[in-house]
Amino acid sequence: MATTSFTAPKLSSPTFQTLCRNFPLSLPIPKTLSSFSFHLSPFLSRFHLHHHHYHPPRFHPRRLFAVRAESENGAEPIRHYDFDLFTIGAGSGGVRASRFAANFGASVAVCELPFSTISSETTGGVGGTCGLRGCVPKKLMVYASKYSHEFDESNGFGWKYDTEPKHDWSTLMANKNAELQRLTGIYKNILNKAGVTLIEGRGKIVDPHTVDVDGKLYTARNILISVGGRPFIPDIPGREYAIDSDAALDLPSKPEKVAIVGGGYIALEFAGIFNGLTSEVHVFIRQKKVLRGFDEEIRDFIGEQMALRGIQFHTEESPQAIVKSADGSLSLKTNKGTIEGFSHIMFATGRRPNTKNLGLESVGVKINKNGAIEVDEYSRTTVPSIWAVGDVTDRINLTPVALMEGAALAKTLFQNEPTKPDYRAVPSAVFSQPPIGQVGLTEEQAIKEYGDIDVYTANFRPLKATLSGLPDRVFMKLIVCAKTNKVIGLHMCGEDSAEIAQGFAVAVKAGLTKADFDATVGIHPTSAEEFVTMRSPTRKIRQSSESQGNMGHEAKTAAGV
Amino acid sequence: MARKMLVDEEMNQTNQEEAHYDFDLFVIGAGSGGVRAARFSANYGAKVGICELPFHPISSEVIGGVGGTCVIRGCVPKKILVYGAAFGSELEDARNYGWELNEKLDFNWKKLLHKKTDEIIRLNGIYKRLLSNAGVKLFEGEGKIVGPNEVEVTQLDGTKLSYSAKHILIATGSRAHRPPIPGQELGITSDEALSLEDLPKHAVVLGGGYIAVEFASIWRGLGANVDLFFRKELPLRGFDDEMRAVVARNLERRGINLHPQTNLTELIKTDNGIKVTTDHGEELIADVVLFATGRLPNSKRLNLEAVGVELDNTGAVKVDEYSRTSIPSVWAVGDVTNRMNLTPVALMEGTCFAKTVFGKEPSKPDYSHVPCAVFSIPPLSVVGLSEEQAIEQANGDVLVFTSTFNPMKNTVSGRQEKTVMKLVVDAETDKVLGASMCGPDAPEIMQGIAVALQCGATKAQFDSTVGIHPSAAEEFVTMRSVSRRITCRGKPKTNL
């Protein structure tokens, strides 16, 4: 592969059209800035409520105009590049953008660090967080750990175990890692089949059109940064004894007693995993409740359900130090006291974008205070030829969102179809035990945004639990805009929530109404049918002008029929 | 419209006459449809009576129970047994996830049966409470129609009660029937199959419908040898052909012996069990033979002909779109009308009836886009049109999107079983006409898809929905390339 920037052009006499095809020419330019922001604001305000981590990307009107001027004037010199697109980072977003770009006819290279289950400045692997250190291994561990609950359930259905089922940690790790190896191979294959050049090594941006991979230089018309994020552990004394989620997914032996610091989805998922694999689990959260940003009732419900399965929650407790004792066990010192005897202390205290040592500052790519790359709605950074998708931009950090951003970018760049990712009604799941599925607004967000809403809830014991005798319950919730009857939020915690939420996400995204839900016939007997048989609202919240402000929302039970 | 006016007119008329009835509504049969109609009518202010036969898991002319087929002899006990049976393969799958289990797992059928019966007794009680809370008067006994406005209930002790009612609703459901072959009395129906003393060692199932497939899965999952006989080439006639083939393959892979295009001709009792002979001349010995060859409406002992309520040739009560029979004051919902024999459909019919008759809001049940599930292991669930139906009804081309994949759980468990999903789309309007899935959680996944289809969602709307990762369901919103395009003349061609 060529390593210098000015080798002979591939096309001996490129026509204007063929060149244009690969130019980001036609980003739609709003007629005026005000009309643009008018168009934008409902989406942004809604979105802002939707996801508390989200910071709306700043709009860069000048730069967009500049692009058009540049291309119209033909100001950019006709110049040959090694690649139309060079992607740094072969995770979900990077692979998607690269493949799609190649399918659209672009010449594409992607670089990625060598494979390892633990990420660092020098290790990564094709497949990225999702494939190697996130969704996939996590879900496999969830499958493994769910069995202990299933053994308990099966007792109620007549199954008996002469000896209590035992878990062999090393079998699980070996089978899980074999699967990850297979997946990274599949990802490589996908890239290969799409004609994308894969380069192993650490990419660094040298100038707006040049990437350095371990000393070799590659030029590209466009550069895509999709290097993702990494777990973050706060700087407290003894932090070297703590593990993060990367390590937690690949422990050499079962943790006997584990402390998990954090109340977000990663903390809850691992709490479920270790609990199911028969560790003693303690979760330390700063707030009163887990899962900040989720619907309040869901937060209460999941906390209860997890506690019923034996997880011990320590609320309003912040870690201050980790101390290793002579016997090798760890103690966690918090603002409330010290708990001893942990074999492992895991921090699930957030993730940070991998923006260090990428050469971003030197070429002028702007980074926000959290270290995330600032991008516009088309995923373009402050340098016109450099783009970024996925967790490194810290928009909504979910694999399918990175896929959407990657696909949109490929369309924008190489199919003459400027495409913005659409962040409305993005569904998501927490693979806690029981899991959570949701789409749209929480009740709190809905009240803020719409004022008058109707809330439908169901809290029931599923058929399986009546036989198993376990205290499992299911909670479901629909939030309906009182004025339009549209379903603006749907939440569920209970078995199969993640699978159930997907179909409803199509309905919520399509803007369907409560009446549409009601008109749908149930599938019997399922849990999901509950969502189409919620007849009377649990409460109607009205913020009528006469009732004064934040005195609490008027809640009343609706009449019977 | 005409019907609406007729209803109103008639009501005005009766009001003028000031006729006095013991009840505004008397319902015969307290299953899903009957209980729903009774409760909702009572909520509208009607005075409602309902009668039901005494409770027993196995139904007969004189035995039934509040809750009906769904609760006592159908959906609920069936699903409980499916849960129990599904653990068999679940536990096998646990080994590769590191769990060390005994080679042979112990399963206690009697315990499961006992708990199942406890649960349906509990539900029977809940249904009774639902009725009494709604103010519906419940009578135990066999109901008959004596006149257009008169019912007679024969109680357990033989005493007869007679009541007049402004409206009578027939919601007596249906019962499994046996084929007329020699030795048929040696076989059982689904009623008995849900209450067997012992788990069969070798079961023969006759039938290709969902009941046959479900019981085959249940018994196989609990370790029995199962032979499934059916008339067609594939089981589940009426479902999408491609999905039928998927179900057949899964059943076979899980160890069920399929005998397509085969019928049973005779059952003979022997010392070793029941000797089963097929029309292909095969013979085999089974300890249980299940007839899952269809169900017939319970319309015989209701005295319907005498009062002029018309039946069709299958014995189903004929009704119009509002569930009204040929006698204006007599109505019928649920399986006894043999429209679409599903609990949620009976509920819909019951609800519409109550609205029409007592809610002053004439309502027709809507039978389009009714989703349904087959709780085979793994299950099948569908909504909307099959590919064949779509082709038949299409004006333009039909696009078919399919996805066949190895569910993530199987990547470690090693189970060789693919999940298959399918969307059938109208090429011109982009509307999704049908969706189907065979694989774990299919019925749970399909419910939300059904809402989308009910409202005419387009493929573009599916595509614009972000996936939930990692789930099986996300495949439904990530089917990018069309598998085939079929022209309206029905000639398949690939879209390359």
Side-chain angles (χ1 to χ4, degrees):
Chain A
M1 190 47 61
T3 54
T4 51
S5 31
F6 294 105
T7 52
K10 272 184 227 144
L11 297 167
S12 48
S13 57
T15 62
F16 183 63
Q17 261 91 356
T18 54
L19 277 173
C20 275
R21 212 162 57 86
N22 291 342
F23 269 55
L25 288 187
S26 41
L27 295 177
I29 310 298
K31 287 199 181 81
T32 66
L33 189 55
S34 62
S35 75
F36 188 84
S37 22
F38 173 74
H39 173 72
L40 196 64
S41 59
F43 147 64
L44 275 182
S45 60
R46 174 173 183 157
F47 180 36
H48 190 68
L49 291 162
H50 189 95
H51 215 264
H52 62 277
H53 291 306
Y54 175 71
H55 306 284
R58 202 179 300 161
F59 178 54
H60 303 279
R62 251 212 236 133
R63 209 184 56 243
L64 286 182
F65 284 117
V67 172
R68 168 163 277 192
E70 180 181 82
S71 47
E72 274 174 355
N73 300 342
E76 191 182 335
I78 294 175
R79 177 182 164 187
H80 174 75
Y81 298 103
D82 298 336
F83 297 101
D84 296 320
L85 176 68
F86 195 102
T87 303
I88 305 179
S92 305
V95 169
R96 173 59 58 96
S98 301
R99 277 174 63 200
F100 279 29
N103 286 342
F104 296 144
S107 72
V108 183
V110 60
C111 72
E112 175 59 63
L113 298 168
F115 173 88
S116 168
T117 54
I118 313 282
S119 65
S120 71
E121 287 289 308
T122 54
T123 53
V126 174
T129 305
C130 169
L132 307 178
R133 284 171 298 276
C135 320
V136 174
K138 172 264 302 271
K139 186 99 190 262
L140 293 176
M141 301 276 279
V142 168
Y143 280 131
S145 58
K146 253 179 80 178
Y147 279 110
S148 57
H149 189 251
E150 284 173 40
F151 299 143
D152 289 346
E153 284 180 320
S154 71
N155 281 323
F157 286 85
W159 293 87
K160 229 172 54 201
Y161 307 91
D162 291 342
T163 51
E164 195 64 14
K166 273 216 284 288
H167 188 256
D168 181 61
W169 190 266
S170 53
T171 302
L172 174 61
M173 287 301 117
N175 289 348
K176 178 210 66 164
N177 286 339
E179 173 59 14
L180 299 191
Q181 289 285 0
R182 193 182 70 88
L183 280 179
T184 193
I186 286 177
Y187 269 101
K188 283 183 184 171
N189 234 332
I190 286 174
L191 287 171
N192 191 24
K193 266 198 222 151
V196 175
T197 304
L198 174 64
I199 299 159
E200 192 170 86
R202 197 172 201 294
K204 196 171 172 170
I205 297 176
V206 179
D207 69 42
H209 293 282
T210 309
V211 178
D212 171 324
V213 183
D214 298 338
K216 281 191 170 184
L217 296 180
Y218 302 90
T219 62
R221 187 179 309 280
N222 291 287
I223 295 171
L224 171 63
I225 308 167
S226 49
V227 292
R230 271 218 308 285
F232 164 81
I233 299 182
D235 207 2
I236 59 165
R239 64 163 280 186
E240 65 274 19
Y241 303 121
I243 57 169
D244 60 18
S245 58
D246 284 9
L249 285 167
D250 203 26
L251 292 175
S253 62
K254 180 185 118 177
E256 292 303 326
K257 180 177 172 182
V258 59
I260 297 175
V261 179
Y265 80 95
I266 298 176
L268 294 200
E269 289 177 345
F270 277 93
I273 287 169
F274 291 131
N275 186 55
L277 294 172
T278 68
S279 306
E280 183 184 330
V281 180
H282 296 255
V283 178
F284 295 83
I285 54 178
R286 263 188 315 191
Q287 304 200 321
K288 281 204 177 81
K289 292 186 199 177
V290 296
L291 288 181
R292 191 162 62 92
F294 284 69
D295 187 274
E296 292 296 325
E297 276 181 290
I298 289 283
R299 295 177 71 185
D300 290 331
F301 186 84
I302 185 64
E304 283 163 26
Q305 285 286 304
M306 290 182 71
L308 282 171
R309 294 194 187 195
I311 292 163
Q312 301 178 50
F313 286 98
H314 304 262
T315 56
E316 298 180 277
E317 241 180 288
S318 304
Q320 292 175 340
I322 301 172
V323 181
K324 190 166 192 167
S325 17
D327 64 357
S329 74
L330 303 171
S331 309
L332 184 66
K333 186 175 174 294
T334 72
N335 55 320
K336 287 191 178 170
T338 300
I339 301 185
E340 297 175 337
F342 291 112
S343 60
H344 295 77
I345 294 176
M346 174 186 169
F347 274 70
T349 40
R351 298 174 61 87
R352 294 281 185 274
N354 286 329
T355 41
K356 284 199 189 120
N357 301 322
L358 272 174
L360 298 178
E361 300 82 352
S362 63
V363 288
V365 171
K366 207 166 163 197
I367 290 172
N368 74 16
K369 60 180 192 307
N370 297 323
I373 295 177
E374 283 189 11
V375 287
D376 69 8
E377 289 180 294
Y378 295 91
S379 300
R380 188 176 227 161
T381 72
T382 44
V383 176
S385 62
I386 302 180
W387 311 72
V389 298
D391 289 6
V392 77
T393 61
D394 197 21
R395 285 176 282 184
I396 295 181
N397 299 335
L398 295 170
T399 291
V401 170
L403 296 176
M404 170 172 69
E405 290 167 355
L409 177 66
K411 274 190 186 166
T412 299
L413 286 178
F414 302 109
Q415 218 187 18
N416 250 334
E417 200 183 314
T419 307
K420 298 181 205 173
D422 178 356
Y423 296 93
R424 286 170 308 153
V426 171
S428 67
V430 178
F431 290 95
S432 46
Q433 299 176 39
I436 296 167
Q438 57 159 29
V439 58
L441 306 181
T442 66
E443 182 174 341
E444 298 70 35
Q445 291 167 339
I447 292 168
K448 244 188 233 168
E449 188 163 343
Y450 292 93
D452 294 356
I453 59 166
D454 294 345
V455 179
Y456 297 76
T457 60
N459 185 330
F460 61 94
R461 197 171 184 203
L463 182 56
K464 204 174 193 175
T466 59
L467 270 274
S468 72
L470 298 177
D472 300 350
R473 297 190 70 84
V474 174
F475 177 74
M476 287 176 160
K477 182 165 182 174
L478 278 183
I479 298 162
V480 178
C481 174
K483 204 165 139 196
T484 61
N485 195 238
K486 274 191 185 166
V487 176
I488 50 179
L490 179 146
H491 306 265
M492 173 174 178
C493 180
E495 200 175 344
D496 299 328
S497 294
E499 299 289 354
I500 290 169
Q502 183 70 73
F504 289 103
V506 179
V508 171
K509 183 79 198 286
L512 301 187
T513 61
K514 180 65 171 59
D516 294 325
F517 274 60
D518 295 344
T520 304
V521 175
I523 299 178
H524 190 68
T526 61
S527 290
E529 69 181 317
E530 208 61 33
F531 272 131
V532 298
T533 55
M534 291 175 151
R535 281 196 309 275
S536 30
T538 310
R539 54 188 170 272
K540 292 181 166 190
I541 294 160
R542 297 290 179 267
Q543 298 194 311
S544 45
S545 47
E546 62 263 33
S547 74
Q548 280 301 310
N550 287 333
M551 292 294 287
H553 312 294
E554 188 193 349
K556 60 184 175 199
T557 314
V561 181
Chain B
M1 219 50 212
R3 170 58 66 194
K4 177 183 185 299
M5 286 160 72
L6 186 65
V7 171
D8 291 342
E9 203 178 310
E10 175 198 78
M11 281 174 170
N12 292 337
Q13 218 176 350
T14 47
N15 282 345
Q16 281 161 14
E17 284 169 11
E18 285 294 329
H20 178 76
Y21 296 105
D22 297 330
F23 292 101
D24 296 316
L25 170 68
F26 199 95
V27 182
I28 304 180
S32 305
V35 170
R36 171 60 63 93
R39 282 176 54 206
F40 278 33
S41 297
N43 285 343
Y44 284 121
K47 188 180 176 199
V48 183
I50 190 168
C51 71
E52 176 57 64
L53 299 167
F55 171 86
H56 193 276
I58 298 170
S59 64
S60 73
E61 297 288 357
V62 293
I63 286 178
V66 173
T69 305
C70 168
V71 172
I72 303 172
R73 285 170 300 273
C75 322
V76 173
K78 173 264 301 279
K79 182 100 190 258
I80 289 173
L81 296 191
V82 169
Y83 276 135
F87 283 114
S89 47
E90 275 291 298
L91 300 177
E92 282 307 313
D93 290 353
R95 296 180 201 277
N96 276 341
Y97 280 98
W99 289 97
E100 289 162 1
L101 303 170
N102 300 341
E103 201 53 50
K104 190 96 178 80
L105 293 169
D106 228 13
F107 172 72
N108 184 338
W109 171 259
K110 285 198 166 60
K111 181 176 178 186
L112 179 57
L113 254 274
H114 178 74
K115 297 196 71 169
K116 181 236 30 168
T117 305
D118 283 354
E119 173 62 8
I120 61 176
I121 290 171
R122 190 182 72 90
L123 290 174
N124 173 256
I126 288 179
Y127 268 71
K128 283 185 180 169
R129 264 206 307 283
L130 276 179
L131 287 171
S132 70
N133 287 348
V136 175
K137 178 120 175 69
L138 172 65
F139 301 90
E140 197 169 75
E142 187 182 1
K144 256 193 186 64
I145 300 184
V146 184
N149 296 96
E150 191 152 3
V151 292
E152 184 184 273
V153 180
T154 308
Q155 293 179 290
L156 288 183
D157 60 4
T159 56
K160 290 183 175 167
L161 303 170
S162 191
Y163 295 104
S164 62
K166 190 164 167 187
H167 298 278
I168 297 171
L169 176 67
I170 307 167
T172 50
S174 64
R175 269 214 314 285
H177 102 289
R178 294 151 185 267
I181 60 167
Q184 54 99 349
E185 71 283 355
L186 299 172
I188 59 170
T189 69
S190 56
D191 282 11
E192 293 87 3
L194 288 165
S195 293
L196 286 178
E197 288 274 319
D198 298 296
L199 176 66
K201 290 186 181 65
H202 189 164
V204 160
V205 179
L206 176 64
Y210 77 95
I211 298 174
V213 164
E214 288 174 347
F215 277 99
S217 286
I218 288 168
W219 286 331
R220 182 65 202 137
L222 295 172
N225 289 316
V226 179
D227 283 87
L228 177 63
F229 294 85
F230 46 94
R231 273 186 310 185
K232 300 283 171 181
E233 263 175 76
L234 291 168
L236 296 176
R237 190 165 60 94
F239 285 85
D240 186 284
D241 283 346
E242 191 176 10
M243 302 311 283
R244 293 169 71 190
V246 171
V247 171
R249 192 172 63 223
N250 289 342
L251 295 178
E252 212 155 26
R253 280 252 173 99
R254 287 188 178 239
I256 295 166
N257 304 310
L258 302 189
H259 303 265
Q261 298 177 293
T262 310
N263 219 328
L264 303 188
T265 50
E266 190 177 24
L267 308 185
I268 300 171
K269 194 169 184 176
T270 73
D271 290 344
N272 305 325
I274 305 164
K275 188 171 89 179
V276 179
T277 313
T278 75
D279 56 0
H280 293 186
E282 296 163 281
E283 287 182 357
L284 46 99
I285 299 283
D287 49 354
V288 164
V289 178
L290 168 67
F291 296 122
T293 42
R295 297 174 65 85
L296 292 176
N298 285 329
S299 57
K300 278 203 190 113
R301 289 163 56 115
L302 289 166
N303 197 37
L304 295 178
E305 297 86 342
V307 287
V309 172
E310 280 179 38
L311 305 180
D312 72 10
N313 54 10
T314 65
V317 176
K318 278 195 192 172
V319 288
D320 68 9
E321 287 178 297
Y322 294 90
S323 300
R324 188 175 228 161
T325 71
S326 49
I327 301 289
S329 60
V330 181
W331 311 69
V333 297
D335 289 6
V336 77
T337 63
N338 196 26
R339 284 175 281 183
M340 208 178 264
N341 299 335
L342 295 168
T343 292
V345 170
L347 296 177
M348 169 171 70
E349 291 167 355
T351 305
C352 289
F353 161 82
K355 266 194 193 166
T356 301
V357 178
F358 298 106
K360 299 195 175 97
E361 197 186 320
S363 306
K364 296 181 205 173
D366 176 2
Y367 297 92
S368 59
H369 299 110
V370 171
C372 72
V374 178
F375 289 93
S376 46
I377 303 175
L380 168 71
S381 192
V382 304
V383 59
L385 305 182
S386 67
E387 182 175 341
E388 294 73 33
Q389 288 168 333
I391 291 168
E392 204 182 291
Q393 298 177 17
N395 298 318
D397 290 4
V398 169
L399 304 177
V400 179
F401 296 78
T402 57
S403 173
T404 301
F405 61 94
N406 200 24
M408 190 191 282
K409 193 173 183 181
N410 295 359
T411 61
V412 166
S413 73
R415 176 168 294 282
Q416 298 294 313
E417 188 172 78
K418 298 263 200 286
T419 289
V420 179
M421 288 179 172
K422 183 165 178 174
L423 287 178
V424 179
V425 177
D426 184 317
E428 205 174 313
T429 62
D430 196 42
K431 267 194 187 166
V432 178
L433 303 172
S436 30
M437 168 176 180
C438 183
D441 303 327
E444 298 287 357
I445 290 169
M446 199 56 67
Q447 185 70 73
I449 304 286
V451 179
L453 258 70
Q454 171 75 25
C455 307
T458 61
K459 181 63 168 60
Q461 282 173 319
F462 271 68
D463 295 345
S464 78
T465 305
V466 175
I468 294 180
H469 189 70
S471 67
E474 67 181 317
E475 282 300 309
F476 269 127
V477 299
T478 55
M479 290 177 163
R480 281 197 311 275
S481 38
V482 67
S483 306
R484 55 188 172 273
R485 182 185 193 103
I486 296 128
T487 64
C488 60
R489 295 278 173 257
K491 279 211 162 182
K493 65 178 182 196
T494 50
N495 184 40
L496 291 174

